[in-house]
């Protein structure tokens, strides 16, 4: 939960950078600074280079996470923070069942029930947003975030495998490294050098992103994805707060009601330990 809160502060900084200089530049320079920060510690600790299977896992997860982050911040520059995060709530829901299919995790009744309550909260928010007229840019941003949520679900499941094969520092370093290496070739045509005024925000975003990634990777190494994925819902509360403080984004009564349902869903999902088979889960869905 602390990792999600820290990440939400980073979201606020990244939204401002994406508005000012474009999402590609914001993600690229944050990744470059992240490589420097985590790479220095990685080298200082004289950590061995990962084995072939671990390296392939780092690459696949880095590519999925990188494309997800790029689409997310491109969309967030066009959509309010609270609405952006609400759309990404599809990711934890998908991750629960992807984890069951790919990692052999048992889906618990509490996780299914909690996801159902949280989904109702997302629907309430969507109903409230539908009452307001949406511009073309808002629609495009929403679509981008929707696609990002699918990629993020895949990255969450890969993170579970990644966190079991490597420590949080290695996971964080190689994620930033893969994203940076993949994006650098297009930098001359898509990104300008950051200005002096933007450097504090880029450095802050990289540091906050690194701290958040370390906390989340540490957690995923010690608990099942289906339990941790539901905690992602708390990001909505932070997004609503920071969106209002930084950008004057107002939160409607529909949004507040949805947020309460989402938090309730998290509480339900964290209770109980009775496993539920995949077939039964599909029937319940």
């Amino acid at each position: 939960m602390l990792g999600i809160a820290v990440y939400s502060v980073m979201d606020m900084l990244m939204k401002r950078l994406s508005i000012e200089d474009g999402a590609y530049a914001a993600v690229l320079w944050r990744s470059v600074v992240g490589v420097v920060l985590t790479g220095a510690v990685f080298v200082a600790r004289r950590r061995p280079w990962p084995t072939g299977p671990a390296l392939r896992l780092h690459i696949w997860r880095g590519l999925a996470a990188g494309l997800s982050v790029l689409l997310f911040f491109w969309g967030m520059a066009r959509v309010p923070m609270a609405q952006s995060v609400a759309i990404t709530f599809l990711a934890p829901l998908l991750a629960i069942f992807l984890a069951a299919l790919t990692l052999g995790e048992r889906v618990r009744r509490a996780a299914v029930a909690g996801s159902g309550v949280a989904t109702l909260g997302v629907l309430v928010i969507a109903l409230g947003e539908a009452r307001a007229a949406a511009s073309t840019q808002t629609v495009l941003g929403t679509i981008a975030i929707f696609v990002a949520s699918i990629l993020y679900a895949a990255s969450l499941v890969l993170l579970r495998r990644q966190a079991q094969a490597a420590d949080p520092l290695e996971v964080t370093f190689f994620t930033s490294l893969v994203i940076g290496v993949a994006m650098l070739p297009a930098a001359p045509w898509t990104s300008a050098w950051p200005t002096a005024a933007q450097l504090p925000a880029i450095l802050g975003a990289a540091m906050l992103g690194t701290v958040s990634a370390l906390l989340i990777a540490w957690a995923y190494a010690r608990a099942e994805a289906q339990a941790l994925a539901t905690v992602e819902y708390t990001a909505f509360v932070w997004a609503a707060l920071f969106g209002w403080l930084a950008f004057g984004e107002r939160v409607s009564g529909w949004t507040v009601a949805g947020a309460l349902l989402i938090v309730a869903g998290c509480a339900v999902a964290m209770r109980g330990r009775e496993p539920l088979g995949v077939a039964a889960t599909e029937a319940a869905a």
Side-chain angles (χ1 to χ4, degrees), residues 7 86 98:
Y7 198 88
L98 284 175

Side-chain angles (χ1 to χ4, degrees), residues 34 38 162 167-177 209-210 213-214 217:
T38 57
Q162 193 181 23
D167 64 23
L169 175 62
E170 181 178 319
V171 169
T172 305
F173 169 59
F174 277 94
T175 298
S176 295
L177 181 63
T210 298
L214 288 170

Side-chain angles (χ1 to χ4, degrees), residues 77-89:
R78 293 157 176 80
V79 177
M81 283 186 65
Q83 183 179 342
S84 300
V85 170
I87 298 169
T88 65
F89 287 158

Side-chain angles (χ1 to χ4, degrees), residues 269-280:
M270 295 303 292
R271 294 179 59 187
R273 297 180 179 276
E274 183 179 358
L276 180 66
V278 175

